[in-house]
C-alpha cells in the first residue's frame, strides 16, 4: 500500500491472505501447493513478508525440515488497514 512503506506484490498479498485465513500455522510447502506457486517463489514472498513483520516463520518441532508460517499482529493490523481503505469511511 503506497505511503506506508509496505508495498506488496499480488503474490505476496495472496500469501498474506492465506496465512491469515487459517487457524493453524501452515508449512511453506503447503502454502506453495495451495497457491500453485513454485517453492523458490514462495520462499522469496515469505522473506519479504517476514522482513515486514507480517508473518512469522518457525521451525516445526515435529519435523525440523519443515518451516511453519503463522500470522502476526502486524499482519492483522496491515489487513485491517487494507480493509478500511477498500471499504472506505462509512461516515
Amino acid at each position: 500500500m503506497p505511503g506506508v512503506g509496505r508495498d506488496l506484490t499480488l503474490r505476496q498479498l495472496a500469501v498474506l491472505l492465506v496465512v491469515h485465513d487459517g487457524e493453524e500455522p501452515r508449512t511453506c510447502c503447503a502454502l506453495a501447493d495451495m497457491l500453485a506457486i513454485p517453492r523458490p517463489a514462495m520462499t522469496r514472498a515469505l522473506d519479504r513478508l517476514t522482513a515486514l513483520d507480517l508473518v512469522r516463520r518457525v521451525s516445526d518441532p515435529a519435523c525440523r525440515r519443515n518451516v511453519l508460517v503463522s500470522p502476526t499482529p502486524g499482519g492483522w493490523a496491515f489487513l485491517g488497514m487494507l480493509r478500511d481503505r477498500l471499504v472506505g469511511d462509512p461516515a
Side-chain angles (χ1 to χ4, degrees):
M1 295 180 51
V4 295
R6 293 187 177 179
D7 291 337
L8 300 180
T9 65
L10 186 55
R11 176 173 285 164
Q12 292 165 351
L13 181 58
V15 172
L16 182 65
L17 290 169
V18 170
V19 169
H20 284 75
D21 185 45
E23 294 180 17
E24 297 291 324
R26 294 187 171 113
T27 66
C28 293
C29 293
L31 290 168
D33 292 344
M34 289 174 70
L35 293 169
I37 296 173
R39 290 180 182 169
M42 178 59 71
T43 298
R44 288 189 300 274
L46 289 172
D47 286 345
R48 173 80 171 134
L49 295 172
T50 301
L52 293 171
D53 192 35
L54 299 177
V55 301
R56 177 180 301 114
R57 290 188 283 192
V58 295
S59 294
D60 184 347
C63 178
R64 293 185 316 193
R65 286 183 280 167
N66 288 333
V67 174
L68 298 174
V69 182
S70 58
T72 64
W76 286 114
F78 179 83
L79 290 175
M81 183 178 60
L82 178 62
R83 181 195 64 235
D84 292 346
R85 286 191 181 200
L86 292 173
V87 172
D89 187 5

